[in-house]
Amino acid sequence: MIRKPFIAGNWKMYKTGAEAREFIERFRPLVKSWDRAQVALAVSALSLPEAVKAAEGSQLLIGAQNTHWATEGAFTGEISGAMIKAAGGQVVIIGHSERRLLFGETDGWVAKKLAAALDFGLLPIVCVGETLQDRDMGRTFNVLANQLTGGLAGLSDQALRDIVLAYEPVWAIGTGVTATVEQAQEAQAFIRGRLSRQFNPEAAGAVRLVYGGSVKPDNAQALLSQPDIDGALVGGASLSPDSFAEIVNLVG
Ligand code: PGA
C-alpha cells in the first residue's frame, strides 16, 4: 500500500497574517520537490486568507486548527468548516491535545467536527495521544482505542481513507522530548491494527498515520523511516521556514 507522505505544520497561536505571508514567501523556494509529500500549514483563523493568498500557485495546503460542527449559528467565538472553506482553507486539525486538555474537547465533539469537516470538503487531521500519566500507568493502548472508537464514530470505510490521523503523545508535545522511534512505531502500529478491526482492513491500510511531538530536522528522518509513520505534524519546528523545509525535504 503506497501512502503519500503528509507533513503539516501546526502554528498554534503564532503568526499574524503578515508574518504568515512572509513565512510562505520564504518557505516556497526552499522545498525541493512538491510531489514527494503533501505539505500543509494549519494557521491562525485570522491569518488564513493571507496565508491562502501567499500559497496561491503552489501545492502548499493551508488550513485551520479547529472548527465547529455547525455551518453557522449562535456559537460565540467559533468558526465553521464552511467559513474555513470559503476563506480558501483545505485542511483542518481536529482534537489536538491542547484543545482536549485546555478547552475540554471530547471524543464526541471530535466525531461531530470530523463529520462536518468531511462534509465541507476539508482534509481533517485527527489527533490522538496519551498523557504521561496514561503511559506510566500502562494505559496507552486503552486511551488510544477509546479515542479512536469515540472520535471516529460514524465514519465510513471510504471516509477513513480521506483523513489523516496524527499520533501525538501529549508528553512529547512542545517538551523537546520526542517519543523514541520504537515507541512511536509501536503506538502507530497499534493504531493501524485497531483501525483494521474498527473499519475494513483495506481502508485501515490506506489511511495516513503521522507522528507529532517535538519533531525536528534532526530526529525526523528516523521517525519518517518507520513503516507505520507516514509523515509528521510539526509544531515548534514549523515556525521557521528553514527548519520546516528541512523536514519536508527529508521525505522521498
Ligand atoms: P511540537 O508540537 O512539535 O512543538 O511538539 C506538535 C503539535 O502540537 O502538533
Side-chain angles (χ1 to χ4, degrees):
M1 174 62 65
I2 308 281
R3 296 182 292 264
K4 184 156 193 169
F6 183 82
I7 311 282
N10 172 12
W11 278 358
K12 311 192 178 187
M13 201 171 73
Y14 291 95
K15 295 198 193 289
T16 62
E19 288 165 343
R21 178 171 22 86
E22 194 191 326
F23 176 105
I24 292 167
E25 282 166 3
R26 285 183 51 202
F27 174 71
R28 283 175 61 165
L30 296 176
V31 175
K32 292 200 184 109
S33 159
W34 288 94
D35 297 323
R36 289 191 298 216
Q38 215 174 10
V39 183
L41 280 175
V43 305
S44 141
L46 282 175
S47 308
L48 188 65
E50 205 149 343
V52 165
K53 212 159 160 231
E56 252 169 36
S58 77
Q59 294 181 58
L60 175 62
L61 304 176
I62 303 294
Q65 302 165 10
N66 185 27
T67 179
H68 195 272
W69 52 83
T71 309
E72 58 184 9
F75 302 108
T76 302
E78 292 290 306
I79 57 166
S80 72
M83 291 168 178
I84 295 167
K85 192 76 187 173
Q90 291 167 281
V91 305
V92 63
I93 296 176
I94 295 174
H96 188 278
S97 64
E98 284 151 19
R99 301 276 345 145
R100 293 174 187 264
L101 296 169
L102 305 175
F103 301 99
E105 195 150 313
T106 64
D107 290 324
W109 289 17
V110 169
K112 287 164 82 167
K113 290 174 177 211
L114 174 57
L118 287 166
D119 278 351
F120 289 118
L122 297 168
L123 168 58
I125 306 166
V126 179
C127 303
V128 296
E130 81 288 359
T131 63
L132 187 57
Q133 199 189 11
D134 295 328
R135 183 162 278 267
D136 286 347
M137 294 180 73
R139 291 195 307 233
T140 297
F141 291 162
N142 277 351
V143 168
L144 294 176
N146 287 338
Q147 289 174 339
L148 293 171
T149 305
L152 305 185
L155 191 69
S156 70
D157 290 329
Q158 186 51 45
L160 179 70
R161 297 166 180 267
D162 296 334
I163 76 170
V164 170
L165 262 173
Y167 168 61
E168 297 206 305
V170 176
W171 47 273
I173 294 180
T175 57
V177 182
T178 330
T180 63
V181 285
E182 292 79 15
Q183 285 171 323
Q185 166 57 26
E186 182 192 36
Q188 309 229 162
F190 169 81
I191 291 170
R192 202 177 296 284
R194 170 88 198 179
L195 292 174
S196 68
R197 291 192 297 283
Q198 197 174 334
F199 296 90
N200 113 17
E202 273 165 33
V207 66
R208 288 174 294 176
L209 302 184
V210 305
Y211 169 81
S214 296
V215 175
K216 310 281 177 225
D218 60 1
N219 62 24
Q221 181 87 73
L223 289 159
L224 292 170
S225 62
Q226 296 301 303
D228 285 295
I229 302 183
D230 305 315
L233 182 54
V234 185
S238 73
L239 293 171
S240 133
D242 296 295
S243 59
F244 191 50
E246 236 182 290
I247 294 170
V248 170
N249 288 335
L250 287 171
V251 176

mmCIF file of all heavy atoms in Angstrom, residues 67-99:
data_model
loop_
_atom_site.group_PDB
_atom_site.id
_atom_site.type_symbol
_atom_site.label_atom_id
_atom_site.label_comp_id
_atom_site.label_asym_id
_atom_site.label_seq_id
_atom_site.Cartn_x
_atom_site.Cartn_y
_atom_site.Cartn_z
ATOM 1 N N THR A 67 -12.441 23.616 14.217
ATOM 2 C CA THR A 67 -13.677 24.002 13.530
ATOM 3 C C THR A 67 -14.864 23.621 14.413
ATOM 4 O O THR A 67 -14.767 22.679 15.210
ATOM 5 C CB THR A 67 -13.803 23.275 12.167
ATOM 6 O OG1 THR A 67 -15.034 23.662 11.544
ATOM 7 C CG2 THR A 67 -13.793 21.758 12.304
ATOM 8 N N HIS A 68 -15.940 24.344 14.269
ATOM 9 C CA HIS A 68 -17.193 23.904 14.892
ATOM 10 C C HIS A 68 -17.869 22.933 13.930
ATOM 11 O O HIS A 68 -17.483 22.847 12.768
ATOM 12 C CB HIS A 68 -18.099 25.104 15.188
ATOM 13 C CG HIS A 68 -19.210 24.769 16.126
ATOM 14 N ND1 HIS A 68 -20.405 24.273 15.699
ATOM 15 C CD2 HIS A 68 -19.285 24.840 17.475
ATOM 16 C CE1 HIS A 68 -21.191 24.038 16.747
ATOM 17 N NE2 HIS A 68 -20.517 24.377 17.840
ATOM 18 N N TRP A 69 -18.851 22.187 14.432
ATOM 19 C CA TRP A 69 -19.505 21.218 13.535
ATOM 20 C C TRP A 69 -20.678 21.832 12.774
ATOM 21 O O TRP A 69 -21.063 21.314 11.732
ATOM 22 C CB TRP A 69 -19.960 19.976 14.295
ATOM 23 C CG TRP A 69 -20.790 20.258 15.522
ATOM 24 C CD1 TRP A 69 -22.125 20.508 15.544
ATOM 25 C CD2 TRP A 69 -20.326 20.325 16.869
ATOM 26 N NE1 TRP A 69 -22.528 20.730 16.836
ATOM 27 C CE2 TRP A 69 -21.446 20.616 17.671
ATOM 28 C CE3 TRP A 69 -19.085 20.170 17.480
ATOM 29 C CZ2 TRP A 69 -21.359 20.760 19.059
ATOM 30 C CZ3 TRP A 69 -18.994 20.312 18.850
ATOM 31 C CH2 TRP A 69 -20.119 20.598 19.626
ATOM 32 N N ALA A 70 -21.223 22.942 13.292
ATOM 33 C CA ALA A 70 -22.365 23.547 12.595
ATOM 34 C C ALA A 70 -21.871 24.426 11.441
ATOM 35 O O ALA A 70 -20.723 24.866 11.425
ATOM 36 C CB ALA A 70 -23.175 24.386 13.569
ATOM 37 N N THR A 71 -22.758 24.682 10.496
ATOM 38 C CA THR A 71 -22.410 25.560 9.383
ATOM 39 C C THR A 71 -22.370 27.009 9.839
ATOM 40 O O THR A 71 -21.525 27.791 9.429
ATOM 41 C CB THR A 71 -23.467 25.424 8.260
ATOM 42 O OG1 THR A 71 -23.615 24.032 7.984
ATOM 43 C CG2 THR A 71 -23.051 26.150 7.004
ATOM 44 N N GLU A 72 -23.326 27.359 10.674
ATOM 45 C CA GLU A 72 -23.378 28.688 11.273
ATOM 46 C C GLU A 72 -24.280 28.593 12.490
ATOM 47 O O GLU A 72 -24.940 27.579 12.703
ATOM 48 C CB GLU A 72 -23.916 29.726 10.276
ATOM 49 C CG GLU A 72 -25.298 29.385 9.737
ATOM 50 C CD GLU A 72 -25.794 30.369 8.679
ATOM 51 O OE1 GLU A 72 -25.009 31.219 8.226
ATOM 52 O OE2 GLU A 72 -26.981 30.286 8.347
ATOM 53 N N GLY A 73 -24.307 29.628 13.310
ATOM 54 C CA GLY A 73 -25.198 29.576 14.467
ATOM 55 C C GLY A 73 -24.695 30.438 15.603
ATOM 56 O O GLY A 73 -23.683 31.138 15.486
ATOM 57 N N ALA A 74 -25.421 30.371 16.722
ATOM 58 C CA ALA A 74 -25.074 31.190 17.887
ATOM 59 C C ALA A 74 -24.012 30.462 18.709
ATOM 60 O O ALA A 74 -24.312 29.826 19.719
ATOM 61 C CB ALA A 74 -26.340 31.448 18.706
ATOM 62 N N PHE A 75 -22.788 30.509 18.231
ATOM 63 C CA PHE A 75 -21.667 29.832 18.893
ATOM 64 C C PHE A 75 -20.509 30.830 18.998
ATOM 65 O O PHE A 75 -19.553 30.779 18.210
ATOM 66 C CB PHE A 75 -21.236 28.588 18.104
ATOM 67 C CG PHE A 75 -22.347 27.582 17.920
ATOM 68 C CD1 PHE A 75 -22.933 27.402 16.690
ATOM 69 C CD2 PHE A 75 -22.798 26.835 19.001
ATOM 70 C CE1 PHE A 75 -23.973 26.493 16.520
ATOM 71 C CE2 PHE A 75 -23.837 25.919 18.842
ATOM 72 C CZ PHE A 75 -24.430 25.751 17.601
ATOM 73 N N THR A 76 -20.632 31.745 19.935
ATOM 74 C CA THR A 76 -19.681 32.846 20.066
ATOM 75 C C THR A 76 -18.229 32.349 20.079
ATOM 76 O O THR A 76 -17.884 31.460 20.846
ATOM 77 C CB THR A 76 -19.978 33.625 21.359
ATOM 78 O OG1 THR A 76 -21.329 34.092 21.280
ATOM 79 C CG2 THR A 76 -19.036 34.811 21.533
ATOM 80 N N GLY A 77 -17.434 32.948 19.220
ATOM 81 C CA GLY A 77 -16.004 32.637 19.212
ATOM 82 C C GLY A 77 -15.613 31.484 18.323
ATOM 83 O O GLY A 77 -14.430 31.216 18.143
ATOM 84 N N GLU A 78 -16.578 30.791 17.755
ATOM 85 C CA GLU A 78 -16.260 29.611 16.944
ATOM 86 C C GLU A 78 -16.188 29.956 15.448
ATOM 87 O O GLU A 78 -16.722 30.979 15.008
ATOM 88 C CB GLU A 78 -17.341 28.541 17.142
ATOM 89 C CG GLU A 78 -17.356 27.939 18.534
ATOM 90 C CD GLU A 78 -16.144 27.054 18.799
ATOM 91 O OE1 GLU A 78 -15.898 26.134 18.006
ATOM 92 O OE2 GLU A 78 -15.447 27.285 19.795
ATOM 93 N N ILE A 79 -15.549 29.087 14.678
ATOM 94 C CA ILE A 79 -15.577 29.213 13.218
ATOM 95 C C ILE A 79 -16.035 27.883 12.630
ATOM 96 O O ILE A 79 -15.820 26.835 13.218
ATOM 97 C CB ILE A 79 -14.204 29.601 12.627
ATOM 98 C CG1 ILE A 79 -13.125 28.592 13.025
ATOM 99 C CG2 ILE A 79 -13.819 31.010 13.019
ATOM 100 C CD1 ILE A 79 -11.854 28.724 12.215
ATOM 101 N N SER A 80 -16.693 27.954 11.479
ATOM 102 C CA SER A 80 -17.245 26.731 10.896
ATOM 103 C C SER A 80 -16.395 26.242 9.729
ATOM 104 O O SER A 80 -15.596 27.002 9.160
ATOM 105 C CB SER A 80 -18.672 26.983 10.401
ATOM 106 O OG SER A 80 -18.646 27.789 9.235
ATOM 107 N N GLY A 81 -16.615 24.991 9.368
ATOM 108 C CA GLY A 81 -15.941 24.430 8.204
ATOM 109 C C GLY A 81 -16.297 25.205 6.944
ATOM 110 O O GLY A 81 -15.475 25.380 6.051
ATOM 111 N N ALA A 82 -17.543 25.678 6.885
ATOM 112 C CA ALA A 82 -17.974 26.452 5.720
ATOM 113 C C ALA A 82 -17.140 27.731 5.605
ATOM 114 O O ALA A 82 -16.761 28.163 4.513
ATOM 115 C CB ALA A 82 -19.460 26.805 5.851
ATOM 116 N N MET A 83 -16.842 28.323 6.756
ATOM 117 C CA MET A 83 -16.049 29.568 6.750
ATOM 118 C C MET A 83 -14.597 29.294 6.357
ATOM 119 O O MET A 83 -13.978 30.078 5.636
ATOM 120 C CB MET A 83 -16.100 30.220 8.133
ATOM 121 C CG MET A 83 -17.468 30.767 8.466
ATOM 122 S SD MET A 83 -17.549 31.190 10.227
ATOM 123 C CE MET A 83 -19.214 31.856 10.274
ATOM 124 N N ILE A 84 -14.075 28.183 6.855
ATOM 125 C CA ILE A 84 -12.690 27.812 6.511
ATOM 126 C C ILE A 84 -12.595 27.595 5.009
ATOM 127 O O ILE A 84 -11.694 28.098 4.330
ATOM 128 C CB ILE A 84 -12.274 26.538 7.282
ATOM 129 C CG1 ILE A 84 -12.240 26.815 8.789
ATOM 130 C CG2 ILE A 84 -10.920 26.017 6.794
ATOM 131 C CD1 ILE A 84 -12.143 25.566 9.654
ATOM 132 N N LYS A 85 -13.561 26.865 4.501
ATOM 133 C CA LYS A 85 -13.587 26.561 3.071
ATOM 134 C C LYS A 85 -13.723 27.847 2.249
ATOM 135 O O LYS A 85 -13.017 28.045 1.253
ATOM 136 C CB LYS A 85 -14.768 25.624 2.797
ATOM 137 C CG LYS A 85 -14.781 24.999 1.463
ATOM 138 C CD LYS A 85 -13.777 23.872 1.362
ATOM 139 C CE LYS A 85 -13.716 23.380 -0.077
ATOM 140 N NZ LYS A 85 -12.650 22.412 -0.297
ATOM 141 N N ALA A 86 -14.635 28.726 2.687
ATOM 142 C CA ALA A 86 -14.858 29.976 1.946
ATOM 143 C C ALA A 86 -13.609 30.846 1.939
ATOM 144 O O ALA A 86 -13.385 31.626 1.014
ATOM 145 C CB ALA A 86 -16.038 30.737 2.555
ATOM 146 N N ALA A 87 -12.789 30.729 2.973
ATOM 147 C CA ALA A 87 -11.560 31.526 3.046
ATOM 148 C C ALA A 87 -10.418 30.865 2.263
ATOM 149 O O ALA A 87 -9.302 31.374 2.240
ATOM 150 C CB ALA A 87 -11.153 31.716 4.505
ATOM 151 N N GLY A 88 -10.712 29.719 1.660
ATOM 152 C CA GLY A 88 -9.682 29.050 0.858
ATOM 153 C C GLY A 88 -8.934 27.964 1.610
ATOM 154 O O GLY A 88 -7.975 27.390 1.094
ATOM 155 N N GLY A 89 -9.364 27.676 2.851
ATOM 156 C CA GLY A 89 -8.706 26.625 3.628
ATOM 157 C C GLY A 89 -9.013 25.249 3.045
ATOM 158 O O GLY A 89 -10.096 25.031 2.484
ATOM 159 N N GLN A 90 -8.064 24.337 3.173
ATOM 160 C CA GLN A 90 -8.273 22.982 2.636
ATOM 161 C C GLN A 90 -8.117 21.892 3.691
ATOM 162 O O GLN A 90 -8.513 20.759 3.457
ATOM 163 C CB GLN A 90 -7.287 22.727 1.490
ATOM 164 C CG GLN A 90 -7.589 23.563 0.260
ATOM 165 C CD GLN A 90 -6.441 23.527 -0.720
ATOM 166 O OE1 GLN A 90 -5.444 24.213 -0.550
ATOM 167 N NE2 GLN A 90 -6.575 22.718 -1.739
ATOM 168 N N VAL A 91 -7.482 22.218 4.801
ATOM 169 C CA VAL A 91 -7.275 21.202 5.842
ATOM 170 C C VAL A 91 -7.729 21.775 7.190
ATOM 171 O O VAL A 91 -7.863 22.993 7.345
ATOM 172 C CB VAL A 91 -5.792 20.750 5.945
ATOM 173 C CG1 VAL A 91 -5.269 20.264 4.615
ATOM 174 C CG2 VAL A 91 -4.905 21.846 6.492
ATOM 175 N N VAL A 92 -7.956 20.881 8.140
ATOM 176 C CA VAL A 92 -8.279 21.353 9.485
ATOM 177 C C VAL A 92 -7.828 20.311 10.512
ATOM 178 O O VAL A 92 -8.009 19.107 10.306
ATOM 179 C CB VAL A 92 -9.790 21.680 9.632
ATOM 180 C CG1 VAL A 92 -10.685 20.457 9.448
ATOM 181 C CG2 VAL A 92 -10.072 22.330 10.990
ATOM 182 N N ILE A 93 -7.196 20.803 11.573
ATOM 183 C CA ILE A 93 -6.807 19.918 12.676
ATOM 184 C C ILE A 93 -8.029 19.735 13.577
ATOM 185 O O ILE A 93 -8.742 20.699 13.864
ATOM 186 C CB ILE A 93 -5.644 20.535 13.492
ATOM 187 C CG1 ILE A 93 -4.390 20.662 12.619
ATOM 188 C CG2 ILE A 93 -5.341 19.684 14.727
ATOM 189 C CD1 ILE A 93 -3.218 21.353 13.305
ATOM 190 N N ILE A 94 -8.244 18.500 14.006
ATOM 191 C CA ILE A 94 -9.370 18.216 14.898
ATOM 192 C C ILE A 94 -8.882 17.419 16.099
ATOM 193 O O ILE A 94 -8.127 16.451 15.945
ATOM 194 C CB ILE A 94 -10.470 17.420 14.149
ATOM 195 C CG1 ILE A 94 -11.058 18.293 13.026
ATOM 196 C CG2 ILE A 94 -11.583 16.977 15.104
ATOM 197 C CD1 ILE A 94 -12.042 17.580 12.132
ATOM 198 N N GLY A 95 -9.290 17.847 17.291
ATOM 199 C CA GLY A 95 -8.984 17.086 18.500
ATOM 200 C C GLY A 95 -7.529 17.148 18.931
ATOM 201 O O GLY A 95 -7.031 16.220 19.569
ATOM 202 N N HIS A 96 -6.852 18.259 18.623
ATOM 203 C CA HIS A 96 -5.475 18.403 19.120
ATOM 204 C C HIS A 96 -5.490 18.324 20.649
ATOM 205 O O HIS A 96 -6.440 18.770 21.289
ATOM 206 C CB HIS A 96 -4.905 19.744 18.659
ATOM 207 C CG HIS A 96 -3.443 19.877 18.968
ATOM 208 N ND1 HIS A 96 -2.986 20.262 20.204
ATOM 209 C CD2 HIS A 96 -2.350 19.624 18.217
ATOM 210 C CE1 HIS A 96 -1.657 20.248 20.187
ATOM 211 N NE2 HIS A 96 -1.252 19.868 18.999
ATOM 212 N N SER A 97 -4.433 17.780 21.223
ATOM 213 C CA SER A 97 -4.437 17.582 22.684
ATOM 214 C C SER A 97 -4.575 18.899 23.444
ATOM 215 O O SER A 97 -5.115 18.934 24.545
ATOM 216 C CB SER A 97 -3.190 16.838 23.135
ATOM 217 O OG SER A 97 -2.049 17.608 22.881
ATOM 218 N N GLU A 98 -4.096 20.002 22.857
ATOM 219 C CA GLU A 98 -4.293 21.281 23.550
ATOM 220 C C GLU A 98 -5.771 21.649 23.582
ATOM 221 O O GLU A 98 -6.256 22.229 24.552
ATOM 222 C CB GLU A 98 -3.436 22.377 22.881
ATOM 223 C CG GLU A 98 -1.970 22.236 23.276
ATOM 224 C CD GLU A 98 -0.966 22.719 22.250
ATOM 225 O OE1 GLU A 98 -1.321 23.500 21.358
ATOM 226 O OE2 GLU A 98 0.211 22.292 22.347
ATOM 227 N N ARG A 99 -6.501 21.319 22.548
ATOM 228 C CA ARG A 99 -7.953 21.547 22.547
ATOM 229 C C ARG A 99 -8.617 20.620 23.569
ATOM 230 O O ARG A 99 -9.530 21.017 24.287
ATOM 231 C CB ARG A 99 -8.570 21.264 21.163
ATOM 232 C CG ARG A 99 -8.031 22.069 20.019
ATOM 233 C CD ARG A 99 -8.629 23.435 19.797
ATOM 234 N NE ARG A 99 -9.845 23.731 20.464
ATOM 235 C CZ ARG A 99 -10.163 24.969 20.942
ATOM 236 N NH1 ARG A 99 -9.312 25.971 20.824
ATOM 237 N NH2 ARG A 99 -11.299 25.174 21.514
#
